[in-house]
Amino acid sequence: MNRPFFSYLDEWSDITDITFRDRPRLGPLDKASHRIMRGPGRLSFADREMIAAYVSGLNACSFCYGSHEAVAAEFGVESHLLEELVDNLDQAAITENYRVLLRYVQKLTLSPSKMSRKDAEVVYEMGWTEEDLHLVVLITSLFNFYNRLLDGHGVKGNGAIYQMGGKHLSRKGYKVPWFIGAIKNIIFKAKRKQLKTKTN
């Protein structure tokens, strides 16, 4: 069993056990995440979740990859496609304009200091706009942060957690109500009860 690194976390923990605990510093991320992942833009919600899962797969972040693979599936992205993307982007069954976009994501994730203007020009040549690429950079940056946040705390999750998160994020998005501080303990207890029921 993978035990998280902090005393207030356990094997049933997810990202909210971290972010709800530190609202002054992490609370603003909820609103930013919702605007990035569900706000206006040419990329569909499925595209955005595919990028989130792809970044997480490149980083081998089991929690974020499992969770956003589940969200992407809710939007119609097949899990075998995500596996293909992570294993071999050049051979994956996607259109060339998306492949070019994901090459940018791959390089920004794995070797960000080597990014060049040429990388962006290749994306623009495939018909993507600066606004499209800006959104891609935001998604890539956001999930590189989340990957490190989860792995740095030792939170790995499990299939039941991923599926629950996938359904929630696909239906509700990333927003968190302002009164979350008053009800978070009730939510945590209900969530753990439901997860333990699913895994028994």
Side-chain angles (χ1 to χ4, degrees):
M1 183 182 297
N2 292 312
R3 182 79 182 173
F5 310 151
F6 290 74
S7 59
Y8 60 89
L9 300 171
D10 61 26
E11 65 269 26
W12 300 105
S13 292
D14 63 21
I15 192 168
T16 61
D17 293 278
I18 300 169
T19 59
F20 288 6
R21 186 180 177 86
D22 190 357
R23 300 310 289 164
R25 288 183 289 191
L26 297 178
L29 281 170
D30 299 325
K31 188 177 290 186
S33 297
H34 190 77
R35 288 175 174 169
I36 291 169
M37 298 302 288
R38 298 291 183 270
R42 186 154 65 133
L43 290 172
S44 68
F45 297 165
D47 293 336
R48 299 179 206 193
E49 293 296 342
M50 181 174 68
I51 293 171
Y54 180 57
V55 169
S56 303
L58 291 174
N59 285 324
C61 176
S62 58
F63 185 93
C64 291
Y65 181 77
S67 297
H68 292 278
E69 179 185 34
V71 186
E74 292 287 326
F75 287 117
V77 179
E78 297 183 2
S79 60
H80 71 82
L81 175 59
L82 290 171
E83 293 169 6
E84 290 177 13
L85 292 173
V86 174
D87 290 342
N88 191 335
L89 176 59
D90 291 335
Q91 297 298 318
I94 56 172
T95 60
E96 194 58 30
N97 64 328
Y98 273 96
R99 197 181 322 278
V100 165
L101 202 61
L102 290 177
R103 282 197 191 108
Y104 195 97
V105 170
Q106 182 185 65
K107 187 172 181 180
L108 183 57
T109 297
L110 300 179
S111 51
S113 66
K114 296 180 180 178
M115 298 300 298
S116 69
R117 182 174 182 81
K118 180 61 178 175
D119 295 315
E121 288 173 350
V122 170
V123 172
Y124 300 145
E125 287 168 4
M126 294 301 292
W128 298 104
T129 68
E130 288 191 357
E131 183 57 33
D132 297 332
L133 187 55
H134 176 61
L135 179 56
V136 167
V137 171
L138 290 178
I139 298 167
T140 304
S141 303
L142 182 67
F143 282 90
N144 271 292
F145 172 78
Y146 279 141
N147 293 170
R148 284 144 183 79
L149 182 69
L150 271 298
D151 283 339
H153 284 80
V155 174
K156 301 299 182 184
N158 58 53
I161 293 173
Y162 306 154
Q163 292 304 314
M164 178 182 285
K167 291 185 184 301
H168 174 81
L169 289 174
S170 66
R171 295 169 185 171
K172 304 290 187 180
Y174 293 74
K175 291 186 293 186
V176 173
W178 63 268
F179 52 84
I180 192 64
I183 63 171
K184 65 181 181 181
N185 288 333
I186 297 172
I187 292 174
F188 291 159
K189 288 177 182 177
K191 177 184 71 178
R192 278 166 171 70
K193 183 177 180 181
Q194 186 176 352
L195 286 168
K196 289 176 181 178
T197 300
K198 286 186 176 183
T199 55
N200 287 336

PDB file of all heavy atoms in Angstrom, residues 19-35:
ATOM      1  N   THR A  19      -5.866  20.624  -1.116  1.00  0.00           N
ATOM      2  CA  THR A  19      -6.266  21.995  -1.433  1.00  0.00           C
ATOM      3  C   THR A  19      -7.282  22.563  -0.450  1.00  0.00           C
ATOM      4  O   THR A  19      -7.279  23.767  -0.183  1.00  0.00           O
ATOM      5  CB  THR A  19      -6.835  22.079  -2.862  1.00  0.00           C
ATOM      6  OG1 THR A  19      -7.970  21.208  -2.986  1.00  0.00           O
ATOM      7  CG2 THR A  19      -5.787  21.671  -3.886  1.00  0.00           C
ATOM      8  N   PHE A  20      -8.164  21.725   0.091  1.00  0.00           N
ATOM      9  CA  PHE A  20      -9.140  22.226   1.066  1.00  0.00           C
ATOM     10  C   PHE A  20      -8.465  22.580   2.389  1.00  0.00           C
ATOM     11  O   PHE A  20      -8.993  23.366   3.173  1.00  0.00           O
ATOM     12  CB  PHE A  20     -10.236  21.195   1.330  1.00  0.00           C
ATOM     13  CG  PHE A  20     -11.203  21.007   0.197  1.00  0.00           C
ATOM     14  CD1 PHE A  20     -11.020  21.638  -1.023  1.00  0.00           C
ATOM     15  CD2 PHE A  20     -12.303  20.179   0.341  1.00  0.00           C
ATOM     16  CE1 PHE A  20     -11.908  21.449  -2.080  1.00  0.00           C
ATOM     17  CE2 PHE A  20     -13.199  19.982  -0.712  1.00  0.00           C
ATOM     18  CZ  PHE A  20     -12.995  20.609  -1.916  1.00  0.00           C
ATOM     19  N   ARG A  21      -7.318  21.995   2.637  1.00  0.00           N
ATOM     20  CA  ARG A  21      -6.614  22.242   3.900  1.00  0.00           C
ATOM     21  C   ARG A  21      -5.877  23.590   3.888  1.00  0.00           C
ATOM     22  O   ARG A  21      -5.583  24.153   4.931  1.00  0.00           O
ATOM     23  CB  ARG A  21      -5.618  21.098   4.150  1.00  0.00           C
ATOM     24  CG  ARG A  21      -4.914  21.156   5.488  1.00  0.00           C
ATOM     25  CD  ARG A  21      -3.956  19.976   5.629  1.00  0.00           C
ATOM     26  NE  ARG A  21      -3.194  20.026   6.866  1.00  0.00           N
ATOM     27  CZ  ARG A  21      -3.610  19.550   8.027  1.00  0.00           C
ATOM     28  NH1 ARG A  21      -4.796  18.966   8.107  1.00  0.00           N
ATOM     29  NH2 ARG A  21      -2.846  19.633   9.101  1.00  0.00           N
ATOM     30  N   ASP A  22      -5.588  24.088   2.692  1.00  0.00           N
ATOM     31  CA  ASP A  22      -4.791  25.320   2.567  1.00  0.00           C
ATOM     32  C   ASP A  22      -5.503  26.284   1.618  1.00  0.00           C
ATOM     33  O   ASP A  22      -4.991  26.621   0.562  1.00  0.00           O
ATOM     34  CB  ASP A  22      -3.395  24.959   2.042  1.00  0.00           C
ATOM     35  CG  ASP A  22      -2.410  26.123   2.114  1.00  0.00           C
ATOM     36  OD1 ASP A  22      -2.817  27.230   2.511  1.00  0.00           O
ATOM     37  OD2 ASP A  22      -1.241  25.916   1.738  1.00  0.00           O
ATOM     38  N   ARG A  23      -6.706  26.687   2.010  1.00  0.00           N
ATOM     39  CA  ARG A  23      -7.506  27.549   1.140  1.00  0.00           C
ATOM     40  C   ARG A  23      -6.859  28.897   0.842  1.00  0.00           C
ATOM     41  O   ARG A  23      -6.962  29.393  -0.287  1.00  0.00           O
ATOM     42  CB  ARG A  23      -8.910  27.770   1.729  1.00  0.00           C
ATOM     43  CG  ARG A  23      -9.728  26.509   1.917  1.00  0.00           C
ATOM     44  CD  ARG A  23      -9.764  25.631   0.693  1.00  0.00           C
ATOM     45  NE  ARG A  23     -10.569  26.191  -0.389  1.00  0.00           N
ATOM     46  CZ  ARG A  23     -10.514  25.793  -1.638  1.00  0.00           C
ATOM     47  NH1 ARG A  23      -9.665  24.851  -1.994  1.00  0.00           N
ATOM     48  NH2 ARG A  23     -11.288  26.329  -2.551  1.00  0.00           N
ATOM     49  N   PRO A  24      -6.187  29.560   1.814  1.00  0.00           N
ATOM     50  CA  PRO A  24      -5.618  30.880   1.494  1.00  0.00           C
ATOM     51  C   PRO A  24      -4.650  30.840   0.318  1.00  0.00           C
ATOM     52  O   PRO A  24      -4.640  31.749  -0.513  1.00  0.00           O
ATOM     53  CB  PRO A  24      -4.906  31.277   2.791  1.00  0.00           C
ATOM     54  CG  PRO A  24      -5.647  30.550   3.861  1.00  0.00           C
ATOM     55  CD  PRO A  24      -6.027  29.233   3.248  1.00  0.00           C
ATOM     56  N   ARG A  25      -3.847  29.767   0.230  1.00  0.00           N
ATOM     57  CA  ARG A  25      -2.864  29.699  -0.849  1.00  0.00           C
ATOM     58  C   ARG A  25      -3.347  28.908  -2.059  1.00  0.00           C
ATOM     59  O   ARG A  25      -3.031  29.252  -3.202  1.00  0.00           O
ATOM     60  CB  ARG A  25      -1.554  29.099  -0.328  1.00  0.00           C
ATOM     61  CG  ARG A  25      -0.802  30.057   0.583  1.00  0.00           C
ATOM     62  CD  ARG A  25       0.523  29.486   1.027  1.00  0.00           C
ATOM     63  NE  ARG A  25       0.362  28.382   1.977  1.00  0.00           N
ATOM     64  CZ  ARG A  25       1.369  27.858   2.663  1.00  0.00           C
ATOM     65  NH1 ARG A  25       2.599  28.315   2.496  1.00  0.00           N
ATOM     66  NH2 ARG A  25       1.148  26.872   3.511  1.00  0.00           N
ATOM     67  N   LEU A  26      -4.118  27.857  -1.840  1.00  0.00           N
ATOM     68  CA  LEU A  26      -4.505  26.987  -2.946  1.00  0.00           C
ATOM     69  C   LEU A  26      -5.936  27.211  -3.444  1.00  0.00           C
ATOM     70  O   LEU A  26      -6.284  26.758  -4.533  1.00  0.00           O
ATOM     71  CB  LEU A  26      -4.323  25.522  -2.534  1.00  0.00           C
ATOM     72  CG  LEU A  26      -2.883  25.113  -2.209  1.00  0.00           C
ATOM     73  CD1 LEU A  26      -2.825  23.651  -1.770  1.00  0.00           C
ATOM     74  CD2 LEU A  26      -1.962  25.348  -3.391  1.00  0.00           C
ATOM     75  N   GLY A  27      -6.747  27.897  -2.659  1.00  0.00           N
ATOM     76  CA  GLY A  27      -8.132  28.149  -3.061  1.00  0.00           C
ATOM     77  C   GLY A  27      -8.277  28.797  -4.432  1.00  0.00           C
ATOM     78  O   GLY A  27      -9.125  28.388  -5.228  1.00  0.00           O
ATOM     79  N   PRO A  28      -7.474  29.829  -4.747  1.00  0.00           N
ATOM     80  CA  PRO A  28      -7.613  30.480  -6.061  1.00  0.00           C
ATOM     81  C   PRO A  28      -7.380  29.547  -7.252  1.00  0.00           C
ATOM     82  O   PRO A  28      -7.822  29.831  -8.360  1.00  0.00           O
ATOM     83  CB  PRO A  28      -6.538  31.579  -6.016  1.00  0.00           C
ATOM     84  CG  PRO A  28      -6.388  31.887  -4.556  1.00  0.00           C
ATOM     85  CD  PRO A  28      -6.540  30.563  -3.860  1.00  0.00           C
ATOM     86  N   LEU A  29      -6.703  28.424  -7.023  1.00  0.00           N
ATOM     87  CA  LEU A  29      -6.464  27.475  -8.123  1.00  0.00           C
ATOM     88  C   LEU A  29      -7.758  26.874  -8.657  1.00  0.00           C
ATOM     89  O   LEU A  29      -7.847  26.528  -9.837  1.00  0.00           O
ATOM     90  CB  LEU A  29      -5.548  26.340  -7.654  1.00  0.00           C
ATOM     91  CG  LEU A  29      -4.054  26.642  -7.593  1.00  0.00           C
ATOM     92  CD1 LEU A  29      -3.330  25.504  -6.887  1.00  0.00           C
ATOM     93  CD2 LEU A  29      -3.493  26.846  -8.995  1.00  0.00           C
ATOM     94  N   ASP A  30      -8.766  26.718  -7.801  1.00  0.00           N
ATOM     95  CA  ASP A  30     -10.033  26.129  -8.234  1.00  0.00           C
ATOM     96  C   ASP A  30     -10.669  26.966  -9.343  1.00  0.00           C
ATOM     97  O   ASP A  30     -11.076  26.453 -10.381  1.00  0.00           O
ATOM     98  CB  ASP A  30     -11.009  26.004  -7.064  1.00  0.00           C
ATOM     99  CG  ASP A  30     -10.479  25.121  -5.958  1.00  0.00           C
ATOM    100  OD1 ASP A  30      -9.779  24.144  -6.270  1.00  0.00           O
ATOM    101  OD2 ASP A  30     -10.764  25.405  -4.783  1.00  0.00           O
ATOM    102  N   LYS A  31     -10.726  28.277  -9.095  1.00  0.00           N
ATOM    103  CA  LYS A  31     -11.335  29.172 -10.080  1.00  0.00           C
ATOM    104  C   LYS A  31     -10.502  29.217 -11.356  1.00  0.00           C
ATOM    105  O   LYS A  31     -11.039  29.169 -12.474  1.00  0.00           O
ATOM    106  CB  LYS A  31     -11.489  30.573  -9.487  1.00  0.00           C
ATOM    107  CG  LYS A  31     -12.286  31.528 -10.354  1.00  0.00           C
ATOM    108  CD  LYS A  31     -12.468  32.873  -9.662  1.00  0.00           C
ATOM    109  CE  LYS A  31     -13.410  32.757  -8.476  1.00  0.00           C
ATOM    110  NZ  LYS A  31     -13.714  34.087  -7.880  1.00  0.00           N
ATOM    111  N   ALA A  32      -9.178  29.303 -11.201  1.00  0.00           N
ATOM    112  CA  ALA A  32      -8.299  29.335 -12.374  1.00  0.00           C
ATOM    113  C   ALA A  32      -8.431  28.041 -13.175  1.00  0.00           C
ATOM    114  O   ALA A  32      -8.525  28.062 -14.411  1.00  0.00           O
ATOM    115  CB  ALA A  32      -6.850  29.548 -11.936  1.00  0.00           C
ATOM    116  N   SER A  33      -8.458  26.904 -12.474  1.00  0.00           N
ATOM    117  CA  SER A  33      -8.575  25.612 -13.153  1.00  0.00           C
ATOM    118  C   SER A  33      -9.880  25.525 -13.932  1.00  0.00           C
ATOM    119  O   SER A  33      -9.907  25.035 -15.071  1.00  0.00           O
ATOM    120  CB  SER A  33      -8.499  24.470 -12.139  1.00  0.00           C
ATOM    121  OG  SER A  33      -7.247  24.455 -11.487  1.00  0.00           O
ATOM    122  N   HIS A  34     -10.961  26.003 -13.343  1.00  0.00           N
ATOM    123  CA  HIS A  34     -12.259  25.935 -14.018  1.00  0.00           C
ATOM    124  C   HIS A  34     -12.255  26.809 -15.275  1.00  0.00           C
ATOM    125  O   HIS A  34     -12.768  26.401 -16.327  1.00  0.00           O
ATOM    126  CB  HIS A  34     -13.383  26.366 -13.078  1.00  0.00           C
ATOM    127  CG  HIS A  34     -14.745  26.088 -13.631  1.00  0.00           C
ATOM    128  ND1 HIS A  34     -15.310  24.832 -13.651  1.00  0.00           N
ATOM    129  CD2 HIS A  34     -15.649  26.908 -14.224  1.00  0.00           C
ATOM    130  CE1 HIS A  34     -16.496  24.884 -14.220  1.00  0.00           C
ATOM    131  NE2 HIS A  34     -16.724  26.137 -14.572  1.00  0.00           N
ATOM    132  N   ARG A  35     -11.670  27.986 -15.166  1.00  0.00           N
ATOM    133  CA  ARG A  35     -11.640  28.876 -16.326  1.00  0.00           C
ATOM    134  C   ARG A  35     -10.770  28.307 -17.439  1.00  0.00           C
ATOM    135  O   ARG A  35     -11.083  28.455 -18.630  1.00  0.00           O
ATOM    136  CB  ARG A  35     -11.135  30.258 -15.903  1.00  0.00           C
ATOM    137  CG  ARG A  35     -12.158  31.036 -15.078  1.00  0.00           C
ATOM    138  CD  ARG A  35     -11.596  32.337 -14.561  1.00  0.00           C
ATOM    139  NE  ARG A  35     -12.635  33.133 -13.890  1.00  0.00           N
ATOM    140  CZ  ARG A  35     -12.390  34.212 -13.160  1.00  0.00           C
ATOM    141  NH1 ARG A  35     -11.136  34.628 -12.992  1.00  0.00           N
ATOM    142  NH2 ARG A  35     -13.382  34.864 -12.589  1.00  0.00           N
TER     143      ARG A  35
END
